[in-house]
Amino acid sequence: MAPELSSNWKKLQEKLKAPQPKKSAPISQEAAFKQAISKKSISSETLKRKAEESQEQQISNPSKKPKRQKSQTQSQPSQKPTEEKMGGNVQSKPTTSSSPNSTLPSLHLWADEQGISSESLAEAYNLGLRSTSSSSSHIPLLSTLPPAIPNAGLTLPGQSSSSSSSSSTSSTPSNKNGLPLPTDLPSSLTLSNGLTLDTSTTTDLALILQATKSNTLGKYLSIDCEMVGTGPSGVTSVLARCSIVDFHGHQIYDSYVRPTAFVTDWRTHVSGISKRHMASARSFESVQATVAALLKGRILVGHDVKHDLEVLGFEHPHRDIRDTAKYTGFRKYGHGPKPSLRVLAKEVLGIEIHQGQHSSVEDARVAMLLFRKEKHGFDMENSNRYEEGQAKKGGNGGGGGGGKKKKGKK
């Protein structure tokens, strides 16, 4: 009789006698992917995204963990704007190094073609001085300008200066400042007050008219005059030099002027003018006519301008004057009713002037720089002053007229 088998052995025999399943052929990657989808309740889009993320992590940096690599890939787009690539998107590297107060060369070319002056372009794009805490940033604005040319006469923007002598007539009117002139210019011009102007002054007036039509002079001009003393003790001031600069500080006009009275005090230590300068000086009538033509229809900038206009012998519309001595924002720098130009230059611009003899060209440039630095404030103050004045004048005129009529009836 055979020995009885244990229960474990019986189970093993049953498994051996049972039919064995056929070996399945190796499945493809796609079939395995479908099998995984059937076993797990995960969408195909989620699996694809995870597979792509794992591949990217392995390609970029296989030594780092996936979580850390994911954080790096998320921070990567923030570094793209700093790249400089040809044809990149609009967020490629911010222009922090370039000056905000600059225009493209193409804009200047377009302005030239359209007949727009550089001064108008600078004003439209707010290219005036910026308010900065460092006052030394304004010093190069004066140092980079060309030096003043005393007694140069009329010097239009981009052109050569005229003859330094009023009697010099060797150059023809057509090439004096490089602008075309009418061929029928009169040899002399008689003003309404009976004064007669010479040929050089008549040419200057024609040049100013041409420059005004071509819009090369701009809207703003700054003036400064030097005076000498006449009468007892030399207390009465008369004109001895006049200088005008444009919006950018370029010299437009400078001339010595023959005094209209006997000089008792040349004030050379301040004005820098002596008797020897009068040999090539122009007549007062010539300078007066040229300056009046330059200022006509333009905004006049200066420091305590009323004294300059007084010695020139004419007036300028108050609405078209920007006086740095009367600007409210500069009153805090004055120790009296108004601050001096030297104090404003030091406190506002951070530059030193009037260390010795004065230069009317330099003073006109400083006045223009002060105006440009606070141009918005000047314009607002001027607008508020004259708009309110016109409103009050209109209201008082109507009310006053009505009041007078009522009184007459009574």
Side-chain angles (χ1 to χ4, degrees), residues 232-349:
S233 304
V235 294
T236 304
S237 296
V238 294
L239 183 64
R241 184 183 180 184
C242 182
S243 303
I244 298 176
V245 301
D246 66 2
F247 186 79
H248 302 285
H250 298 147
Q251 180 177 322
I252 298 297
Y253 185 77
D254 186 85
S255 177
Y256 292 124
V257 186
R258 290 196 292 269
T260 55
F262 182 77
V263 178
T264 56
D265 185 3
W266 289 98
R267 306 174 186 175
T268 308
H269 64 288
V270 176
S271 65
I273 299 173
S274 63
K275 189 175 181 178
R276 63 183 179 87
H277 293 115
M278 297 300 106
S280 58
R282 294 170 177 83
S283 66
F284 174 81
E285 293 78 15
S286 174
V287 174
Q288 184 187 51
T290 305
V291 173
L294 283 170
L295 300 184
K296 184 179 180 180
R298 294 183 172 86
I299 305 297
L300 176 60
V301 180
H303 187 79
D304 217 359
V305 186
K306 67 177 183 178
H307 298 297
D308 301 317
L309 295 175
E310 184 178 329
V311 295
L312 281 165
F314 60 80
E315 296 181 351
H316 196 74
H318 293 286
R319 189 187 185 96
D320 296 335
I321 294 177
R322 304 292 186 269
D323 198 331
T324 57
K326 295 182 178 180
Y327 177 54
T328 306
F330 293 156
R331 287 181 181 175
K332 58 185 177 181
Y333 301 109
H335 299 289
K338 54 190 174 184
S340 66
L341 186 63
R342 181 182 62 82
V343 171
L344 291 179
K346 182 178 181 179
E347 297 295 334
V348 181
L349 302 177

Side-chain angles (χ1 to χ4, degrees), residues 187-242:
S187 58
S188 61
L189 183 66
T190 303
L191 302 179
S192 58
N193 57 4
L195 296 174
T196 302
L197 302 178
D198 55 10
T199 306
S200 62
T201 306
T202 305
T203 304
D204 285 347
L205 297 180
L207 287 168
I208 294 171
L209 181 61
Q210 293 288 341
T212 302
K213 289 181 179 180
S214 61
N215 197 25
T216 57
L217 277 177
K219 182 180 178 181
Y220 300 90
L221 293 178
S222 180
I223 192 172
D224 188 76
C225 297
E226 297 294 342
M227 298 86 159
V228 293
T230 63
S233 304
V235 294
T236 304
S237 296
V238 294
L239 183 64
R241 184 183 180 184
C242 182

Side-chain angles (χ1 to χ4, degrees), residues 86-109:
M86 186 70 70
N89 54 18
V90 294
Q91 295 180 348
S92 60
K93 194 171 184 179
T95 57
T96 55
S97 58
S98 61
S99 173
N101 287 350
S102 60
T103 55
L104 297 175
S106 58
L107 185 59
H108 288 286
L109 294 175

